């Protein structure tokens, strides 16, 4: 099911955001723009966490990843299991098994025990992603989800998200500063600046845009990196795959 | 001795538990509420830290002795009066420490759990669980203050043998009678109680970490 | 139930030891909170019970008395004996004669047991007492350092003894706390005709035993009651320098407080206590108190009703 917004207006303190319309589905919509443009605000409003004017529609089961993930007092595994039990009403055994599997998925097997709050920033982002995916949501709202993860991990995690979206048809809304994220996961790009939508276009046409921010975004990726969903050089190295 | 020690613990523990209701309620309002009045409460909590316990004892005694405004209730010189005085003494300390404990929780945690579809009641429970070690430490500080207090306990309880004699007032009486070894005995038990309470809190916090 | 990502990770089965560990931990947590709830309920019950346990005969009887009757331990024997005999519950508040009389004036006590005759007479003159009866007596003693620098020993009365102490400049410790002993001490100074002040006159504001210890430390003189001195003697370096003279008599009376209208109180219980301490039974308790511990009784019973 898609995520849509119509005549969305949000006020956060002195910051005003106005989005005429927004549409996202499994093809992936990226929100890009400079800091303070309103990317996080849009994500929060779409998830119903901020009071807003206008209408927002989203599926029943959503999951969000915040830029600064926060966890409960307990092990990573316990954190995931608790979310499974609380949201999906799973029993303990199944929730625990699901938690363990999700940790393996994002490469956090070693960090199963110990306090989740003591993880490094990269590990926290992996855990936050695992926490969102473990629910098998119908819509994913990701806020700069890979910013602190190492390069190898970033590739792996993008692949994980990609895979999930492909199999489940989950809607993806992704706020990011990184072209590689856009390239791997999104077919549409929405450029925000100072609370307004400046441009909305297909990812394949990013290179043609006149917008300075988008040009900067594209040039950062380096030559040969063209937006598009399935890119050979974004797959994992042979032998590292999670695919059997 | 056992009777005196258990009364000490019982009265102070009950006072801490009752104070918890007011302290936690107040702390939750201060941290999560919206009215501007909550800062008045915060100031009251912080000012209450400097409140001399003996002043509280005098005020309670003054209110509840037979010639006082609430004398008809006849509760002075009972454990209940002692508990009342101790509750008043403990609440500001417990409350201001609880505010610190609540503020230590990540403010976005509530939203992040909501973003994952965690239902509101469960969110509340989980957030409460997050604050538990800090709240426990606050409760322990409050209990320590209550159980070690002597001035208010003497004035509101009267140090009546078998009824309102607690470790602190019994110590003062023993010293007044020159029975120093007995006094040291009471003090040792008091220290023992504090050690056990602190130790128990420490163990619980370790288990929760 | 294995979702899409579970199939990706080499099958669904999990290491069982993690599961058991997890289950055991939550079991302990559950037990702890149940125990905590039970302990709390027990505490509340105990507290409520002790508060509401006013005796069947009405509210408790509040006895306001002096620290010396409590410090000697007499009340630890006398009050329980009365409670057993009468069924009343007594709350003994030992605050010192001045405070006890003030409590009686306010109606905060039902019966008083004090030892400051002039203050008591003033109290009765105000009409705040229904009855005042002589209960017992013992003696005050002047104690001092073994060397007796003021040469008090051998003097025939307390007034001359105090005169000598003041003249010699030896240190004198006063309780300064409006107690019966302090009242007596000030009475003697009035008879001497001087107001004691200066570096040699030290006020402790404390109970008798504390004051004796201070005097012992400073090798000073002080006025004490017989009973407290006996009980503290072993730890003191003081010796009696004057005792047994008529103006060192320490007389205790029981006063039945006249209730104020509209106040909680237990007149019947107060009257029962006053009757008890002057009754042959009560007097016998007083007469034998201290015998086994000190070899002689600490008080001499003298009851005869005086109005």
């Amino acid at each position: 099911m898609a995520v849509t917004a119509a005549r969305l207006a949000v006020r956060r303190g002195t910051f005003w955001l106005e989005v005429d319309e927004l549409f996202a589905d499994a093809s992936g919509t990226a929100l890009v723009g400079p800091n303070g443009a309103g990317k996080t605000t849009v994500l929060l409003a779409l998830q119903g966490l901020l009071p807003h004017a206008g209408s927002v529609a989203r599926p029943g089961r959503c999951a969000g990843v915040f830029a600064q993930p926060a966890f409960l007092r307990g092990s990573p595994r316990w954190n995931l299991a608790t979310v499974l039990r609380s949201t999906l009403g799973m029993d303990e055994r199944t929730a625990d098994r699901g938690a363990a599997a999700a940790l393996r998925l994002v490469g956090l097997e070693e960090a199963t025990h110990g306090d989740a709050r003591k993880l490094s920033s990269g590990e926290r982002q992996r855990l936050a992603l695992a926490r969102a995916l473990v629910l098998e949501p119908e819509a994913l709202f990701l806020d700069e989800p890979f910013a602190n993860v190492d390069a190898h991990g970033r590739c792996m995690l993008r692949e994980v998200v990609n895979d999930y979206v492909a199999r489940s048809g989950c809607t993806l809304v992704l706020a990011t500063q990184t072209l590689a994220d856009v390239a791997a996961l999104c077919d549409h790009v929405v450029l925000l600046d100072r609370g307004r939508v400046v441009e909305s276009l297909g990812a394949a046409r990013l290179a043609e845009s006149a917008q300075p921010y988008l040009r900067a975004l594209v040039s950062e990726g380096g030559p040969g990196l063209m937006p598009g969903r399935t890119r050979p050089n974004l797959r994992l190295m042979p032998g590292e795959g999670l695919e059997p | 001795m056992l009777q005196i020690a258990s009364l000490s613990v019982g009265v102070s523990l009950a006072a801490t538990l009752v104070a918890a209701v007011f302290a936690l309620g107040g702390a939750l309002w201060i941290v999560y509420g919206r009215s501007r009045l909550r800062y008045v409460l915060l100031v009251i909590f912080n000012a209450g830290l400097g409140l001399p316990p003996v002043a509280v004892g005098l005020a309670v005694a003054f209110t509840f002795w037979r010639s006082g405004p609430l004398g008809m209730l006849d509760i002075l010189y009972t454990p209940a009066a002692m508990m009342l005085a101790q509750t008043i003494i403990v609440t500001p300390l417990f409350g201001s420490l609880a505010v610190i404990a609540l503020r230590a929780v990540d403010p976005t945690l509530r939203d992040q759990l909501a973003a994952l579809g965690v239902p509101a009641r469960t969110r509340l429970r989980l957030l409460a669980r997050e604050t538990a070690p800090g709240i426990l430490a606050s409760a322990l500080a409050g209990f320590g203050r209550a159980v070690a207090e002597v001035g208010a306990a003497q004035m509101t309880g009267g140090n009546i043998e078998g009824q309102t004699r607690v470790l602190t007032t019994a110590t003062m009486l023993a010293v007044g009678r020159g029975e120093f070894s007995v006094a040291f005995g009471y003090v040792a038990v008091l220290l023992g109680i504090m050690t056990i309470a602190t130790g128990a809190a420490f163990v619980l916090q370790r288990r929760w970490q | 139930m294995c979702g899409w990502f579970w199939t990706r990770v080499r099958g669904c089965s999990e290491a069982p030891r993690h599961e058991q560990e997890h289950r055991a931990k939550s079991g302990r947590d559950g037990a702890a909170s149940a125990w905590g709830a039970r302990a709390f309920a027990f505490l509340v019950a105990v507290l409520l019970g002790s508060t509401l346990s006013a005796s069947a005969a009405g509210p408790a009887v509040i006895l306001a008395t002096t620290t010396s009757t409590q410090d000697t331990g007499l009340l630890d024997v006398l009050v329980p004996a009365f409670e057993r005999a009468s069924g009343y519950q007594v709350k003994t508040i030992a605050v010192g004669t001045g405070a006890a009389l003030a409590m009686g004036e306010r109606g905060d006590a039902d019966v008083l047991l004090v030892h400051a005759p002039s203050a008591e007479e003033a109290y009765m003159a105000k009409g705040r007492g229904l009855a005042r009866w002589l209960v017992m007596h013992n003696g005050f003693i002047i104690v001092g350092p073994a060397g007796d620098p003021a040469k008090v020993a051998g003097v025939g009365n307390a007034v001359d003894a105090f005169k000598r102490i003041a003249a010699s400049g030896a240190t004198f410790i006063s309780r300064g706390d409006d107690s019966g002993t302090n009242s007596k001490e000030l009475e003697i100074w009035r008879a001497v005709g001087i107001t004691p002040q200066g570096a040699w006159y030290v006020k402790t504001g404390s109970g008798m035993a504390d004051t004796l210890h201070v005097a012992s430390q400073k090798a000073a003189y002080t006025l004490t009651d017989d009973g407290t001195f006996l009980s503290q003697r072993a730890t003191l370096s003081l010796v009696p320098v004057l005792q047994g003279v008529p103006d060192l008599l320490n007389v205790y009376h029981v006063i039945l407080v006249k209730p104020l209208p509209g106040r909680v109180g237990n007149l019947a219980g107060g009257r029962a206590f006053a009757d008890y301490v002057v009754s042959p039974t009560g007097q016998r308790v007083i007469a034998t108190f201290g015998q086994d511990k000190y070899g002689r009784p600490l008080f001499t019973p003298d009851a005869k009703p005086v109005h």
Side-chain angles (χ1 to χ4, degrees):
Chain A
M1 193 195 141
V3 169
T4 58
R7 289 209 278 277
L8 181 68
V10 183
R11 184 182 146 205
R12 265 178 116 184
T14 52
F15 177 76
W16 287 89
L17 173 88
E18 275 174 26
V19 174
D20 229 17
E21 69 164 337
L22 189 90
F23 176 86
D25 61 12
S27 57
T29 298
L31 304 172
V32 301
N35 288 324
K39 307 190 289 294
T40 302
T41 308
V42 169
L43 282 177
L44 290 175
L46 289 176
Q47 291 176 87
L49 296 173
L50 279 179
H52 58 84
S55 61
V56 170
R58 58 177 179 274
R61 202 153 69 202
C62 302
V65 171
F66 281 46
Q68 306 284 349
F71 301 105
L72 298 167
R73 192 168 44 82
S75 71
R77 186 150 155 172
W78 183 85
N79 264 271
L80 298 183
T82 300
V83 164
L84 277 175
R85 278 183 290 140
S86 310
T87 306
L88 300 181
M90 267 189 207
D91 63 282
E92 260 181 66
R93 269 176 80 118
T94 329
D96 197 56
R97 279 208 237 123
L103 285 176
R104 250 195 299 269
L105 190 66
V106 297
L108 281 179
E109 311 88 353
E110 325 249 300
T112 312
H113 302 294
D115 198 318
R117 297 171 303 174
K118 296 200 172 74
L119 295 175
S120 71
S121 55
E123 289 170 323
R124 293 162 76 99
Q125 291 203 306
R126 291 185 195 226
L127 184 58
L129 186 66
R131 192 168 63 170
L133 291 176
V134 87
L135 293 171
E136 296 188 326
E138 295 163 299
L140 267 179
F141 299 92
L142 308 181
D143 195 348
E144 303 194 38
F146 313 127
N148 292 325
V149 182
D150 60 64
H152 188 88
R154 283 202 296 270
C155 285
M156 179 178 90
L157 295 180
R158 279 187 210 116
E159 188 57 37
V160 166
V161 175
N162 208 357
D163 204 64
Y164 175 71
V165 169
R167 281 170 185 258
S168 66
C170 156
T171 300
L172 178 66
V173 183
L174 169 71
T176 181
Q177 306 275 31
T178 317
L179 182 66
D181 291 346
V182 178
L185 300 169
C186 302
D187 283 349
H188 305 282
V189 176
V190 173
L191 172 65
L192 292 165
D193 192 11
R194 280 173 285 202
R196 296 263 182 294
V197 175
V198 175
E199 196 168 327
S200 172
L201 70 167
R205 313 221 359 245
L206 261 184
E208 301 161 20
S209 169
Q211 289 292 333
Y213 187 84
L214 292 179
R215 298 197 77 81
L217 196 67
V218 170
S219 66
E220 191 190 38
L225 184 72
M226 285 192 307
R229 283 291 297 284
T230 49
R231 304 278 315 145
N233 58 347
L234 283 181
R235 284 230 181 87
L236 294 175
M237 310 284 273
E240 302 258 4
L242 294 164
E243 293 277 5
Chain B
M1 166 68 94
L2 186 63
Q3 199 261 335
I4 292 173
S6 57
L7 191 65
S8 262
V9 172
V11 171
S12 297
L13 199 53
T16 309
L17 289 168
V18 173
V21 172
F22 295 105
L24 288 178
L28 285 167
W29 185 49
I30 288 172
V31 176
Y32 297 121
R34 268 173 275 267
S35 150
R36 239 180 289 236
L37 278 179
R38 38 198 245 265
Y39 294 111
V40 174
L41 183 60
L42 185 60
V43 168
I44 292 176
F45 274 169
N46 286 327
L49 290 179
L51 190 63
V54 70
V56 175
L58 186 58
V60 171
F62 190 78
T63 310
F64 289 100
W65 57 35
R66 286 173 174 177
S67 55
L70 292 177
M72 75 293 282
L73 297 172
D74 199 30
I75 63 167
L76 195 59
Y77 308 130
T78 62
M82 298 169 79
M83 198 192 90
L84 177 64
Q86 287 188 358
T87 303
I88 297 172
I89 292 168
V90 168
T91 301
L93 179 64
F94 197 157
S96 44
L97 290 178
V99 166
I100 295 175
L102 289 175
R103 285 183 175 159
V105 172
D106 193 319
T108 63
L109 188 55
R110 201 168 92 183
D111 276 348
Q112 295 202 24
L113 292 176
L116 294 164
V118 176
R121 277 186 64 186
T122 319
R123 279 207 301 271
L124 203 62
R125 186 172 56 79
L126 289 172
L127 287 169
R129 189 187 161 277
E130 284 302 288
T131 60
I135 302 292
L136 181 67
S138 316
L140 182 66
F143 174 78
R145 194 157 198 229
V147 82
E149 204 284 319
V150 64
Q154 175 70 46
M155 270 190 271
T156 54
N159 196 21
I160 301 168
E161 189 185 10
Q163 298 174 37
T164 56
R165 192 165 290 177
V166 290
L167 289 168
T168 48
T169 53
T171 305
M172 293 301 293
L173 179 62
V175 169
R177 285 176 171 178
E179 296 167 351
F180 297 115
S181 47
V182 174
F184 276 119
Y186 290 132
V187 167
V189 172
L190 191 54
L191 288 173
I193 288 172
M194 281 313 300
T195 308
I196 291 174
T198 319
F202 182 69
V203 164
L204 273 176
Q205 289 195 322
R206 283 292 301 271
R207 247 192 341 124
W208 280 336
Q209 298 295 28
Chain C
M1 172 193 148
C2 296
W4 67 280
F5 50 86
W6 290 324
T7 52
R8 294 175 59 129
V9 283
R10 297 180 204 93
C12 264
S13 53
E14 255 319 290
R17 59 187 165 84
H18 291 305
E19 277 180 27
Q20 279 168 17
E21 196 187 295
H22 189 66
R23 250 203 300 260
K25 186 168 186 278
S26 58
R28 277 206 304 272
D29 279 328
S33 54
W35 184 89
R38 261 181 259 131
F40 178 50
F42 170 71
L43 266 170
V44 171
V46 161
L47 270 177
L48 276 177
S50 58
T51 310
L52 301 172
S53 67
S55 65
V61 178
I62 296 189
L63 165 68
T65 181
T66 72
T67 46
S68 58
T69 38
Q70 188 189 55
D71 283 350
T72 50
L74 172 66
L75 292 178
D76 292 344
V77 174
L78 192 59
V79 169
F82 167 70
E83 285 179 324
R84 272 193 301 273
S86 67
Y88 285 107
Q89 189 200 38
V90 177
K91 292 192 198 268
T92 311
I93 313 292
V95 284
T97 296
L101 290 171
M103 280 174 74
E105 254 191 80
R106 288 195 308 262
D108 283 332
D110 299 306
V111 61
L112 316 174
L113 181 62
V114 287
H115 64 134
S118 43
E120 292 167 36
E121 278 153 19
Y123 177 86
M124 294 303 287
K126 282 188 224 171
R128 291 298 300 126
L130 287 176
R132 175 170 168 257
W133 297 332
L134 179 60
V135 179
M136 61 198 185
H137 75 269
N138 61 10
F140 287 113
I141 321 178
I142 301 178
V143 295
D148 192 13
K151 307 252 182 299
V152 172
V155 162
N157 61 75
V159 177
D160 288 335
F162 272 32
K163 246 188 231 168
R164 286 207 186 174
I165 292 172
S168 76
T171 315
F172 185 90
I173 314 291
S174 164
R175 281 182 64 177
D177 64 347
D178 206 19
S179 59
T181 309
N182 188 231
S183 296
K184 184 73 174 185
E185 180 218 324
L186 293 175
E187 214 179 276
I188 301 175
W189 287 118
R190 272 195 296 274
V192 171
I194 67 175
T195 313
Q197 53 187 221
W200 62 275
Y201 186 71
V202 176
K203 295 193 201 172
T204 63
S206 306
M208 198 67 248
D210 283 335
T211 304
L212 281 170
H213 285 281
V214 170
S216 184
Q217 291 290 325
K218 289 183 178 288
Y221 291 91
T222 190
L223 182 70
T224 173
D225 65 279
D226 198 359
T228 313
F229 181 67
L230 250 184
S231 66
Q232 299 299 306
R233 190 158 194 173
T235 57
L236 301 170
S237 62
L238 300 167
V239 296
V241 291
L242 186 63
Q243 58 185 324
V245 294
D247 56 353
L248 283 182
L249 208 55
N250 179 19
V251 187
Y252 290 80
H253 286 83
V254 62
I255 299 179
L256 181 60
V257 174
K258 183 174 181 185
L260 287 170
R263 286 232 212 290
V264 175
N266 196 333
L267 178 61
R271 193 188 294 276
F273 181 79
D275 286 339
Y276 181 80
V277 295
V278 299
S279 72
T281 332
Q283 293 280 294
R284 202 171 20 249
V285 172
I286 294 170
T288 53
F289 177 72
Q291 188 82 48
D292 36 358
K293 196 167 172 199
Y294 303 111
R296 63 171 176 85
L298 292 184
F299 298 92
T300 310
D302 317 283
K304 44 183 189 287
V306 165
H307 290 271

